[in-house]
Amino acid sequence: MDQFVSAFTNKIDTKGRVSVPASFRSVLAKDGLDGIYCYPSLDAPALDAGGKRLVDKINGLVEDLAPYSDERDHLATALFGTSEILSIDQDGRTILPERLREHAGITTHITFVGLGEKFQMWEPGRFEAHLAEARQKVRDLRKLLGAGRRGSGGPEGARE
């Protein structure tokens, strides 16, 4: 299965265009959505993005909630009401709407971060801080999990 992996930082030109990493474009093309499904992250100063798999996952979350319930309406509003489908031009570039860039604090550069089935877009400095926090949390979790195992420093295969 194709996944979004790695991180890439690209410059945004004066017209607001940015080059989407080639490996991400390849995953999107195989996923069957013509463009990028993108919305402001619900819990980070970033943008969540992906293809048809992401849209299908969101549809599943919304459909699992009771019809006409406040919870369903709120989730649908937060995820569908703020979403955009961004086109990708023949040169592999997209234009991020100002509203989305403002949410993430993106100005001159953008970092694309693979998260498996989806990816995020961050202002590079904010991403570096987020990555440092994530690494620390993983180290703490590794220590916690390792404390319960005799003769092992943590989960098998985990290394610092």
Side-chain angles (χ1 to χ4, degrees):
M1 180 178 280
D2 292 303
Q3 301 283 310
F4 297 104
V5 298
S6 198
F8 306 88
T9 299
N10 293 337
K11 185 173 178 21
I12 298 174
D13 73 13
T14 56
K15 295 181 181 178
R17 296 176 301 199
V18 64
S19 201
V20 178
S23 62
F24 285 26
R25 292 194 314 266
S26 175
V27 174
L28 288 165
K30 291 176 184 175
D31 199 25
L33 183 69
D34 187 25
I36 302 169
Y37 184 79
C38 183
Y39 58 92
S41 174
L42 298 177
D43 57 359
L47 305 173
D48 285 347
K52 186 175 180 325
R53 281 184 295 173
L54 178 60
V55 174
D56 290 346
K57 186 167 269 194
I58 292 169
N59 276 326
L61 290 171
V62 171
E63 289 170 3
D64 283 347
L65 297 171
Y68 308 107
S69 67
D70 288 344
E71 292 81 11
R72 184 180 183 137
D73 288 348
H74 290 148
L75 185 61
T77 299
L79 295 177
F80 292 125
T82 62
S83 297
E84 302 271 349
I85 297 181
L86 310 176
S87 61
I88 300 174
D89 70 16
Q90 68 276 6
D91 295 321
R93 298 173 303 190
T94 192
I95 297 175
L96 283 175
E98 185 64 32
R99 175 180 69 79
L100 293 176
R101 287 192 317 214
E102 282 179 10
H103 170 81
I106 295 168
T107 55
T108 61
H109 289 80
I110 185 170
T111 299
F112 293 83
V113 182
L115 300 176
E117 290 186 347
K118 70 176 184 176
F119 63 95
Q120 288 185 320
M121 293 179 266
W122 288 81
E123 186 281 324
R126 287 182 175 180
F127 173 66
E128 287 302 320
H130 174 74
L131 179 59
E133 180 183 347
R135 284 182 171 153
Q136 184 59 53
K137 286 182 179 183
V138 168
R139 280 192 290 275
D140 293 344
L141 179 61
R142 180 174 178 252
K143 290 174 189 172
L144 179 66
L145 292 175
R149 293 184 156 177
R150 284 193 320 166
S152 138
E156 289 187 35
R159 301 275 183 249
E160 283 191 43

mmCIF file of all heavy atoms in Angstrom, residues 88-127:
data_model
loop_
_atom_site.group_PDB
_atom_site.id
_atom_site.type_symbol
_atom_site.label_atom_id
_atom_site.label_comp_id
_atom_site.label_asym_id
_atom_site.label_seq_id
_atom_site.Cartn_x
_atom_site.Cartn_y
_atom_site.Cartn_z
ATOM 1 N N ILE A 88 -3.592 20.360 -8.640
ATOM 2 C CA ILE A 88 -2.148 20.305 -8.870
ATOM 3 C C ILE A 88 -1.924 20.550 -10.353
ATOM 4 O O ILE A 88 -2.507 19.855 -11.197
ATOM 5 C CB ILE A 88 -1.580 18.921 -8.453
ATOM 6 C CG1 ILE A 88 -1.845 18.664 -6.971
ATOM 7 C CG2 ILE A 88 -0.083 18.854 -8.755
ATOM 8 C CD1 ILE A 88 -1.454 17.271 -6.500
ATOM 9 N N ASP A 89 -1.099 21.557 -10.685
ATOM 10 C CA ASP A 89 -0.867 21.885 -12.091
ATOM 11 C C ASP A 89 0.113 20.907 -12.750
ATOM 12 O O ASP A 89 0.659 20.008 -12.093
ATOM 13 C CB ASP A 89 -0.444 23.350 -12.259
ATOM 14 C CG ASP A 89 0.949 23.667 -11.735
ATOM 15 O OD1 ASP A 89 1.759 22.732 -11.508
ATOM 16 O OD2 ASP A 89 1.252 24.868 -11.566
ATOM 17 N N GLN A 90 0.346 21.092 -14.036
ATOM 18 C CA GLN A 90 1.200 20.181 -14.792
ATOM 19 C C GLN A 90 2.651 20.192 -14.310
ATOM 20 O O GLN A 90 3.404 19.255 -14.567
ATOM 21 C CB GLN A 90 1.136 20.482 -16.300
ATOM 22 C CG GLN A 90 1.762 21.802 -16.706
ATOM 23 C CD GLN A 90 0.838 23.010 -16.565
ATOM 24 O OE1 GLN A 90 -0.283 22.890 -16.052
ATOM 25 N NE2 GLN A 90 1.298 24.163 -16.995
ATOM 26 N N ASP A 91 3.042 21.218 -13.559
ATOM 27 C CA ASP A 91 4.404 21.297 -13.012
ATOM 28 C C ASP A 91 4.481 20.753 -11.583
ATOM 29 O O ASP A 91 5.516 20.866 -10.927
ATOM 30 C CB ASP A 91 4.908 22.744 -13.039
ATOM 31 C CG ASP A 91 5.058 23.273 -14.461
ATOM 32 O OD1 ASP A 91 5.506 22.489 -15.327
ATOM 33 O OD2 ASP A 91 4.722 24.451 -14.704
ATOM 34 N N GLY A 92 3.363 20.197 -11.079
ATOM 35 C CA GLY A 92 3.355 19.607 -9.740
ATOM 36 C C GLY A 92 3.158 20.610 -8.624
ATOM 37 O O GLY A 92 3.460 20.321 -7.470
ATOM 38 N N ARG A 93 2.626 21.792 -8.968
ATOM 39 C CA ARG A 93 2.429 22.829 -7.950
ATOM 40 C C ARG A 93 0.951 22.970 -7.607
ATOM 41 O O ARG A 93 0.080 22.678 -8.405
ATOM 42 C CB ARG A 93 2.940 24.180 -8.462
ATOM 43 C CG ARG A 93 4.407 24.199 -8.771
ATOM 44 C CD ARG A 93 4.802 25.493 -9.430
ATOM 45 N NE ARG A 93 3.989 25.673 -10.641
ATOM 46 C CZ ARG A 93 4.203 26.601 -11.558
ATOM 47 N NH1 ARG A 93 5.186 27.467 -11.401
ATOM 48 N NH2 ARG A 93 3.442 26.696 -12.615
ATOM 49 N N THR A 94 0.719 23.453 -6.386
ATOM 50 C CA THR A 94 -0.630 23.783 -5.957
ATOM 51 C C THR A 94 -0.603 25.178 -5.351
ATOM 52 O O THR A 94 0.465 25.689 -5.006
ATOM 53 C CB THR A 94 -1.180 22.758 -4.943
ATOM 54 O OG1 THR A 94 -2.586 22.982 -4.781
ATOM 55 C CG2 THR A 94 -0.484 22.847 -3.591
ATOM 56 N N ILE A 95 -1.762 25.775 -5.237
ATOM 57 C CA ILE A 95 -1.898 27.082 -4.580
ATOM 58 C C ILE A 95 -2.681 26.858 -3.293
ATOM 59 O O ILE A 95 -3.792 26.312 -3.319
ATOM 60 C CB ILE A 95 -2.627 28.100 -5.474
ATOM 61 C CG1 ILE A 95 -1.809 28.370 -6.736
ATOM 62 C CG2 ILE A 95 -2.890 29.400 -4.707
ATOM 63 C CD1 ILE A 95 -2.498 29.280 -7.742
ATOM 64 N N LEU A 96 -2.077 27.280 -2.174
ATOM 65 C CA LEU A 96 -2.759 27.175 -0.887
ATOM 66 C C LEU A 96 -3.561 28.452 -0.644
ATOM 67 O O LEU A 96 -2.992 29.548 -0.638
ATOM 68 C CB LEU A 96 -1.750 27.025 0.246
ATOM 69 C CG LEU A 96 -1.115 25.661 0.410
ATOM 70 C CD1 LEU A 96 -0.046 25.720 1.488
ATOM 71 C CD2 LEU A 96 -2.153 24.631 0.766
ATOM 72 N N PRO A 97 -4.865 28.329 -0.410
ATOM 73 C CA PRO A 97 -5.674 29.511 -0.127
ATOM 74 C C PRO A 97 -5.176 30.223 1.137
ATOM 75 O O PRO A 97 -4.687 29.590 2.080
ATOM 76 C CB PRO A 97 -7.076 28.953 0.090
ATOM 77 C CG PRO A 97 -7.076 27.640 -0.624
ATOM 78 C CD PRO A 97 -5.679 27.118 -0.488
ATOM 79 N N GLU A 98 -5.299 31.528 1.147
ATOM 80 C CA GLU A 98 -4.833 32.348 2.269
ATOM 81 C C GLU A 98 -5.434 31.878 3.596
ATOM 82 O O GLU A 98 -4.757 31.836 4.609
ATOM 83 C CB GLU A 98 -5.172 33.823 2.021
ATOM 84 C CG GLU A 98 -4.631 34.768 3.068
ATOM 85 C CD GLU A 98 -3.104 34.792 3.126
ATOM 86 O OE1 GLU A 98 -2.451 34.599 2.098
ATOM 87 O OE2 GLU A 98 -2.573 35.013 4.242
ATOM 88 N N ARG A 99 -6.695 31.517 3.590
ATOM 89 C CA ARG A 99 -7.377 31.058 4.807
ATOM 90 C C ARG A 99 -6.658 29.859 5.420
ATOM 91 O O ARG A 99 -6.476 29.784 6.631
ATOM 92 C CB ARG A 99 -8.822 30.712 4.444
ATOM 93 C CG ARG A 99 -9.654 30.114 5.536
ATOM 94 C CD ARG A 99 -11.067 29.810 5.039
ATOM 95 N NE ARG A 99 -11.125 28.735 4.082
ATOM 96 C CZ ARG A 99 -11.078 27.442 4.413
ATOM 97 N NH1 ARG A 99 -10.975 27.086 5.667
ATOM 98 N NH2 ARG A 99 -11.155 26.506 3.489
ATOM 99 N N LEU A 100 -6.232 28.920 4.589
ATOM 100 C CA LEU A 100 -5.514 27.746 5.085
ATOM 101 C C LEU A 100 -4.114 28.122 5.564
ATOM 102 O O LEU A 100 -3.653 27.663 6.609
ATOM 103 C CB LEU A 100 -5.437 26.666 4.009
ATOM 104 C CG LEU A 100 -6.770 26.019 3.614
ATOM 105 C CD1 LEU A 100 -6.567 25.029 2.470
ATOM 106 C CD2 LEU A 100 -7.431 25.345 4.799
ATOM 107 N N ARG A 101 -3.433 28.968 4.796
ATOM 108 C CA ARG A 101 -2.082 29.395 5.196
ATOM 109 C C ARG A 101 -2.120 30.133 6.527
ATOM 110 O O ARG A 101 -1.251 29.938 7.375
ATOM 111 C CB ARG A 101 -1.448 30.276 4.117
ATOM 112 C CG ARG A 101 -1.028 29.491 2.899
ATOM 113 C CD ARG A 101 -0.166 30.266 1.971
ATOM 114 N NE ARG A 101 -0.627 31.622 1.768
ATOM 115 C CZ ARG A 101 -0.522 32.290 0.643
ATOM 116 N NH1 ARG A 101 0.052 31.765 -0.395
ATOM 117 N NH2 ARG A 101 -0.967 33.518 0.541
ATOM 118 N N GLU A 102 -3.132 30.954 6.747
ATOM 119 C CA GLU A 102 -3.250 31.694 8.017
ATOM 120 C C GLU A 102 -3.406 30.740 9.192
ATOM 121 O O GLU A 102 -2.800 30.942 10.242
ATOM 122 C CB GLU A 102 -4.433 32.665 7.966
ATOM 123 C CG GLU A 102 -4.139 33.923 7.194
ATOM 124 C CD GLU A 102 -5.341 34.863 7.142
ATOM 125 O OE1 GLU A 102 -6.348 34.620 7.858
ATOM 126 O OE2 GLU A 102 -5.273 35.828 6.367
ATOM 127 N N HIS A 103 -4.219 29.704 9.040
ATOM 128 C CA HIS A 103 -4.423 28.741 10.125
ATOM 129 C C HIS A 103 -3.095 28.138 10.574
ATOM 130 O O HIS A 103 -2.849 27.964 11.766
ATOM 131 C CB HIS A 103 -5.375 27.618 9.701
ATOM 132 C CG HIS A 103 -5.420 26.486 10.686
ATOM 133 N ND1 HIS A 103 -6.179 26.526 11.834
ATOM 134 C CD2 HIS A 103 -4.750 25.301 10.721
ATOM 135 C CE1 HIS A 103 -5.992 25.414 12.522
ATOM 136 N NE2 HIS A 103 -5.128 24.652 11.873
ATOM 137 N N ALA A 104 -2.232 27.811 9.614
ATOM 138 C CA ALA A 104 -0.973 27.130 9.919
ATOM 139 C C ALA A 104 0.200 28.098 10.098
ATOM 140 O O ALA A 104 1.297 27.659 10.425
ATOM 141 C CB ALA A 104 -0.658 26.126 8.815
ATOM 142 N N GLY A 105 -0.022 29.388 9.887
ATOM 143 C CA GLY A 105 1.067 30.347 10.011
ATOM 144 C C GLY A 105 2.095 30.218 8.898
ATOM 145 O O GLY A 105 3.262 30.583 9.061
ATOM 146 N N ILE A 106 1.680 29.708 7.753
ATOM 147 C CA ILE A 106 2.585 29.478 6.626
ATOM 148 C C ILE A 106 2.729 30.771 5.825
ATOM 149 O O ILE A 106 1.734 31.386 5.445
ATOM 150 C CB ILE A 106 2.041 28.339 5.737
ATOM 151 C CG1 ILE A 106 2.037 27.030 6.516
ATOM 152 C CG2 ILE A 106 2.840 28.224 4.453
ATOM 153 C CD1 ILE A 106 1.265 25.905 5.844
ATOM 154 N N THR A 107 3.986 31.161 5.589
ATOM 155 C CA THR A 107 4.236 32.383 4.820
ATOM 156 C C THR A 107 5.124 32.119 3.602
ATOM 157 O O THR A 107 4.632 32.084 2.485
ATOM 158 C CB THR A 107 4.860 33.478 5.707
ATOM 159 O OG1 THR A 107 6.044 32.966 6.328
ATOM 160 C CG2 THR A 107 3.878 33.964 6.776
ATOM 161 N N THR A 108 6.417 31.909 3.808
ATOM 162 C CA THR A 108 7.352 31.795 2.680
ATOM 163 C C THR A 108 7.800 30.371 2.382
ATOM 164 O O THR A 108 8.241 30.083 1.273
ATOM 165 C CB THR A 108 8.616 32.645 2.937
ATOM 166 O OG1 THR A 108 9.272 32.153 4.109
ATOM 167 C CG2 THR A 108 8.262 34.107 3.116
ATOM 168 N N HIS A 109 7.721 29.490 3.374
ATOM 169 C CA HIS A 109 8.129 28.098 3.207
ATOM 170 C C HIS A 109 7.096 27.192 3.854
ATOM 171 O O HIS A 109 6.370 27.617 4.760
ATOM 172 C CB HIS A 109 9.500 27.847 3.838
ATOM 173 C CG HIS A 109 10.613 28.480 3.081
ATOM 174 N ND1 HIS A 109 10.930 29.817 3.193
ATOM 175 C CD2 HIS A 109 11.482 27.952 2.185
ATOM 176 C CE1 HIS A 109 11.945 30.099 2.397
ATOM 177 N NE2 HIS A 109 12.306 28.989 1.774
ATOM 178 N N ILE A 110 7.068 25.944 3.392
ATOM 179 C CA ILE A 110 6.111 24.974 3.914
ATOM 180 C C ILE A 110 6.805 23.621 4.034
ATOM 181 O O ILE A 110 7.602 23.251 3.173
ATOM 182 C CB ILE A 110 4.873 24.891 2.996
ATOM 183 C CG1 ILE A 110 3.802 23.974 3.573
ATOM 184 C CG2 ILE A 110 5.246 24.487 1.585
ATOM 185 C CD1 ILE A 110 2.474 24.044 2.825
ATOM 186 N N THR A 111 6.509 22.910 5.113
ATOM 187 C CA THR A 111 7.039 21.565 5.293
ATOM 188 C C THR A 111 5.905 20.564 5.144
ATOM 189 O O THR A 111 4.895 20.642 5.843
ATOM 190 C CB THR A 111 7.717 21.416 6.678
ATOM 191 O OG1 THR A 111 8.812 22.335 6.752
ATOM 192 C CG2 THR A 111 8.253 20.001 6.879
ATOM 193 N N PHE A 112 6.084 19.647 4.186
ATOM 194 C CA PHE A 112 5.156 18.548 3.959
ATOM 195 C C PHE A 112 5.639 17.373 4.802
ATOM 196 O O PHE A 112 6.814 16.999 4.710
ATOM 197 C CB PHE A 112 5.170 18.129 2.485
ATOM 198 C CG PHE A 112 4.617 19.148 1.543
ATOM 199 C CD1 PHE A 112 5.400 20.198 1.087
ATOM 200 C CD2 PHE A 112 3.309 19.055 1.078
ATOM 201 C CE1 PHE A 112 4.906 21.133 0.195
ATOM 202 C CE2 PHE A 112 2.799 19.992 0.188
ATOM 203 C CZ PHE A 112 3.597 21.036 -0.255
ATOM 204 N N VAL A 113 4.754 16.795 5.614
ATOM 205 C CA VAL A 113 5.138 15.724 6.532
ATOM 206 C C VAL A 113 4.241 14.512 6.300
ATOM 207 O O VAL A 113 3.024 14.577 6.505
ATOM 208 C CB VAL A 113 5.004 16.185 8.001
ATOM 209 C CG1 VAL A 113 5.439 15.082 8.952
ATOM 210 C CG2 VAL A 113 5.793 17.465 8.243
ATOM 211 N N GLY A 114 4.843 13.399 5.899
ATOM 212 C CA GLY A 114 4.091 12.175 5.672
ATOM 213 C C GLY A 114 3.651 11.535 6.974
ATOM 214 O O GLY A 114 4.437 11.425 7.913
ATOM 215 N N LEU A 115 2.394 11.119 7.013
ATOM 216 C CA LEU A 115 1.830 10.447 8.196
ATOM 217 C C LEU A 115 1.146 9.137 7.809
ATOM 218 O O LEU A 115 0.191 8.711 8.452
ATOM 219 C CB LEU A 115 0.819 11.360 8.901
ATOM 220 C CG LEU A 115 1.332 12.692 9.429
ATOM 221 C CD1 LEU A 115 0.187 13.508 10.008
ATOM 222 C CD2 LEU A 115 2.419 12.481 10.464
ATOM 223 N N GLY A 116 1.622 8.504 6.772
ATOM 224 C CA GLY A 116 1.016 7.255 6.342
ATOM 225 C C GLY A 116 -0.120 7.491 5.369
ATOM 226 O O GLY A 116 0.094 7.781 4.206
ATOM 227 N N GLU A 117 -1.366 7.375 5.852
ATOM 228 C CA GLU A 117 -2.534 7.547 4.983
ATOM 229 C C GLU A 117 -2.828 8.998 4.640
ATOM 230 O O GLU A 117 -3.603 9.277 3.729
ATOM 231 C CB GLU A 117 -3.777 6.948 5.637
ATOM 232 C CG GLU A 117 -3.768 5.451 5.700
ATOM 233 C CD GLU A 117 -5.084 4.902 6.231
ATOM 234 O OE1 GLU A 117 -5.899 5.669 6.781
ATOM 235 O OE2 GLU A 117 -5.288 3.693 6.091
ATOM 236 N N LYS A 118 -2.244 9.915 5.401
ATOM 237 C CA LYS A 118 -2.446 11.334 5.123
ATOM 238 C C LYS A 118 -1.108 12.042 5.308
ATOM 239 O O LYS A 118 -0.114 11.429 5.671
ATOM 240 C CB LYS A 118 -3.512 11.944 6.041
ATOM 241 C CG LYS A 118 -3.091 12.075 7.500
ATOM 242 C CD LYS A 118 -4.170 12.779 8.314
ATOM 243 C CE LYS A 118 -3.710 12.989 9.746
ATOM 244 N NZ LYS A 118 -4.691 13.752 10.526
ATOM 245 N N PHE A 119 -1.095 13.332 5.026
ATOM 246 C CA PHE A 119 0.084 14.127 5.312
ATOM 247 C C PHE A 119 -0.354 15.457 5.895
ATOM 248 O O PHE A 119 -1.535 15.810 5.859
ATOM 249 C CB PHE A 119 0.987 14.305 4.084
ATOM 250 C CG PHE A 119 0.385 15.052 2.913
ATOM 251 C CD1 PHE A 119 0.599 16.414 2.744
ATOM 252 C CD2 PHE A 119 -0.352 14.376 1.954
ATOM 253 C CE1 PHE A 119 0.076 17.090 1.650
ATOM 254 C CE2 PHE A 119 -0.880 15.042 0.849
ATOM 255 C CZ PHE A 119 -0.662 16.402 0.694
ATOM 256 N N GLN A 120 0.600 16.147 6.492
ATOM 257 C CA GLN A 120 0.320 17.465 7.031
ATOM 258 C C GLN A 120 1.243 18.486 6.365
ATOM 259 O O GLN A 120 2.322 18.140 5.869
ATOM 260 C CB GLN A 120 0.531 17.510 8.547
ATOM 261 C CG GLN A 120 -0.542 16.773 9.308
ATOM 262 C CD GLN A 120 -0.411 16.924 10.809
ATOM 263 O OE1 GLN A 120 0.680 16.893 11.362
ATOM 264 N NE2 GLN A 120 -1.546 17.073 11.485
ATOM 265 N N MET A 121 0.797 19.730 6.395
ATOM 266 C CA MET A 121 1.598 20.842 5.914
ATOM 267 C C MET A 121 1.768 21.812 7.073
ATOM 268 O O MET A 121 0.784 22.195 7.707
ATOM 269 C CB MET A 121 0.916 21.516 4.717
ATOM 270 C CG MET A 121 0.868 20.607 3.488
ATOM 271 S SD MET A 121 0.034 21.376 2.089
ATOM 272 C CE MET A 121 -1.629 20.756 2.320
ATOM 273 N N TRP A 122 3.022 22.174 7.354
ATOM 274 C CA TRP A 122 3.387 22.991 8.505
ATOM 275 C C TRP A 122 4.247 24.177 8.094
ATOM 276 O O TRP A 122 5.001 24.092 7.121
ATOM 277 C CB TRP A 122 4.241 22.171 9.470
ATOM 278 C CG TRP A 122 3.549 21.113 10.251
ATOM 279 C CD1 TRP A 122 3.211 19.860 9.839
ATOM 280 C CD2 TRP A 122 3.139 21.199 11.622
ATOM 281 N NE1 TRP A 122 2.614 19.171 10.859
ATOM 282 C CE2 TRP A 122 2.567 19.963 11.971
ATOM 283 C CE3 TRP A 122 3.219 22.204 12.588
ATOM 284 C CZ2 TRP A 122 2.061 19.700 13.239
ATOM 285 C CZ3 TRP A 122 2.713 21.936 13.852
ATOM 286 C CH2 TRP A 122 2.137 20.709 14.160
ATOM 287 N N GLU A 123 4.213 25.210 8.911
ATOM 288 C CA GLU A 123 5.241 26.249 8.849
ATOM 289 C C GLU A 123 6.490 25.560 9.398
ATOM 290 O O GLU A 123 6.419 24.890 10.428
ATOM 291 C CB GLU A 123 4.811 27.454 9.713
ATOM 292 C CG GLU A 123 5.720 28.656 9.616
ATOM 293 C CD GLU A 123 6.982 28.526 10.434
ATOM 294 O OE1 GLU A 123 6.938 27.929 11.540
ATOM 295 O OE2 GLU A 123 8.037 28.990 9.969
ATOM 296 N N PRO A 124 7.638 25.654 8.714
ATOM 297 C CA PRO A 124 8.814 24.863 9.106
ATOM 298 C C PRO A 124 9.249 24.996 10.566
ATOM 299 O O PRO A 124 9.570 23.985 11.208
ATOM 300 C CB PRO A 124 9.906 25.353 8.151
ATOM 301 C CG PRO A 124 9.145 25.781 6.932
ATOM 302 C CD PRO A 124 7.872 26.387 7.465
ATOM 303 N N GLY A 125 9.271 26.189 11.131
ATOM 304 C CA GLY A 125 9.673 26.358 12.524
ATOM 305 C C GLY A 125 8.705 25.685 13.477
ATOM 306 O O GLY A 125 9.110 25.059 14.473
ATOM 307 N N ARG A 126 7.425 25.791 13.197
ATOM 308 C CA ARG A 126 6.407 25.135 14.030
ATOM 309 C C ARG A 126 6.544 23.623 13.944
ATOM 310 O O ARG A 126 6.365 22.909 14.930
ATOM 311 C CB ARG A 126 5.000 25.551 13.617
ATOM 312 C CG ARG A 126 4.640 26.967 14.025
ATOM 313 C CD ARG A 126 3.232 27.298 13.630
ATOM 314 N NE ARG A 126 2.857 28.610 14.123
ATOM 315 C CZ ARG A 126 1.671 29.156 13.927
ATOM 316 N NH1 ARG A 126 0.725 28.492 13.271
ATOM 317 N NH2 ARG A 126 1.405 30.350 14.399
ATOM 318 N N PHE A 127 6.872 23.129 12.732
ATOM 319 C CA PHE A 127 7.046 21.688 12.608
ATOM 320 C C PHE A 127 8.250 21.207 13.413
ATOM 321 O O PHE A 127 8.171 20.161 14.070
ATOM 322 C CB PHE A 127 7.192 21.242 11.149
ATOM 323 C CG PHE A 127 7.531 19.780 11.050
ATOM 324 C CD1 PHE A 127 6.610 18.818 11.453
ATOM 325 C CD2 PHE A 127 8.775 19.366 10.624
ATOM 326 C CE1 PHE A 127 6.927 17.463 11.423
ATOM 327 C CE2 PHE A 127 9.099 18.016 10.592
ATOM 328 C CZ PHE A 127 8.174 17.060 10.979
#
